[in-house]
Amino acid sequence: IISERYFDQYESFYWQMYQQVATRAVSKECFSMFEILSLETEYQHELPKLLQEDKVDGLIIIGSLKESYLKLIEESIHVPMVCLDFYDRKHQCDAVITDNYYGMYKMTNYLFEMGHEDIAYVGTLLSTSSITDRYFGYSKALLEHGKKVREDWIIEDRDVDSGKREDDFVFRLPKEMPTAFVCNCDLTAGLLINALREKGYRVPEDISVIGFDGIDMGNYMSPRLTTIRQHREEISARSVEILLKSIEEGIPATHEIEPFHLVPGESVCKH
């Protein structure tokens, strides 16, 4: 199951991740079913239809859900569950994630190596565990370089409750601009580049921008996006393998962190 908040325009990361899950499930002679949860379903605490029929042996949740809704699922079902690309502090369930903290720490240090010292973070804190973990990686890199986190350089990119970007969403850019932005995902990076251009800034000549996720869209952006590429195939495969092992053996909850790699693009230049 996936919340509809992750299917705003141009979003493809979780769709590609589900395709990898389905492919891996077939290779293991399993049948997978897919349900997109409406925000109304989440807020009204209605169980997904797949779970109401009580016909599944295991559940993979792709992307974070509201904490209260996750609790409802955990209390209502009696099958193993895996959280894919997120974890929750209150629930002891299997989780498979990318190393969000170290990934953003590495990306922020990359900007310092390129001569940047005034670096902002773009992502709505607490809207997902991934966005928040990436923020802490960014913060650590700043502190190690003797820089303080500036509140006006933490830029929201979505509604904290719904997790969605409205059609009239506008980035609230600071009065004093940094020389570089690290964005919590590639989609946000692409939207930010457009917003900067509308304000008359050139990327990367005036301001550098980096993303996170490594979705295919980044290769077709102009300039081509510098980003962290998550290994979707491995992450998705591990979620299926952990779920099957939990179904068969009832193993204790596992929290597994998967590697990443930096993909240099054209959206960063030396300062």
Side-chain angles (χ1 to χ4, degrees), residues 34-247:
F34 179 51
E35 182 172 343
I36 299 176
L37 297 175
S38 68
L39 293 179
E40 184 180 9
T41 296
E42 269 193 85
Y43 284 110
Q44 293 185 1
H45 281 199
E46 298 176 4
L47 280 175
K49 291 182 173 57
L50 290 177
L51 298 181
Q52 290 178 19
E53 297 175 1
D54 196 27
K55 292 183 178 180
V56 298
D57 298 306
L59 174 66
I60 295 178
I61 303 174
I62 305 179
S64 182
L65 300 176
K66 287 178 64 66
E67 191 174 275
S68 59
Y69 191 76
L70 191 61
K71 180 180 180 182
L72 170 70
I73 290 177
E74 192 174 49
E75 292 175 345
S76 302
I77 67 172
H78 304 287
V79 297
M81 179 172 74
V82 175
C83 299
L84 179 51
D85 200 45
F86 80 102
Y87 61 91
D88 187 90
R89 62 189 174 91
K90 290 187 177 181
H91 305 282
Q92 292 297 318
C93 59
D94 294 321
V96 183
I97 63 171
T98 293
D99 198 341
N100 297 299
Y101 174 83
Y102 182 62
M104 190 56 79
Y105 170 77
K106 185 178 181 69
M107 288 300 272
T108 308
N109 276 316
Y110 173 74
L111 287 173
F112 277 110
E113 291 167 5
M114 297 292 283
H116 295 274
E117 294 191 355
D118 299 328
I119 305 169
Y121 180 79
V122 188
T124 300
L125 303 186
L126 300 180
S127 56
T128 71
S129 59
S130 297
I131 290 175
T132 306
D133 285 351
R134 292 170 191 178
Y135 162 75
F136 283 118
Y138 155 82
S139 300
K140 182 186 181 192
L142 259 61
L143 291 173
E144 289 183 348
H145 285 84
K147 299 289 183 179
K148 292 184 178 180
V149 175
R150 290 179 46 161
E151 188 174 337
D152 61 329
W153 283 0
I154 308 301
I155 315 298
E156 293 190 351
D157 72 329
R158 68 193 71 194
D159 180 82
V160 68
D161 293 319
S162 69
K164 293 180 71 70
R165 299 174 181 86
E166 303 300 333
D167 292 337
D168 59 350
F169 177 83
V170 177
F171 289 103
R172 295 183 179 179
L173 299 176
K175 291 182 179 179
E176 182 183 351
M177 291 289 282
T179 64
F181 288 89
V182 290
C183 300
N184 77 88
C185 68
D186 292 344
L187 174 61
T188 289
L191 295 174
L192 177 67
I193 289 172
N194 291 337
L196 290 172
R197 284 174 172 161
E198 289 176 1
K199 295 288 186 180
Y201 295 102
R202 298 171 301 163
V203 177
E205 293 86 352
D206 300 325
I207 296 178
S208 293
V209 176
I210 63 175
F212 201 112
D213 284 341
I215 62 175
D216 296 338
M217 182 183 72
N219 292 322
Y220 300 101
M221 290 182 185
S222 181
R224 183 166 49 84
L225 192 62
T226 298
T227 186
I228 284 287
R229 179 172 295 280
Q230 300 191 57
H231 298 286
R232 291 188 297 268
E233 297 84 357
E234 288 83 354
I235 295 172
S236 303
R238 284 300 298 150
S239 70
V240 173
E241 290 165 5
I242 289 173
L243 182 62
L244 290 176
K245 192 168 184 179
S246 185
I247 291 171

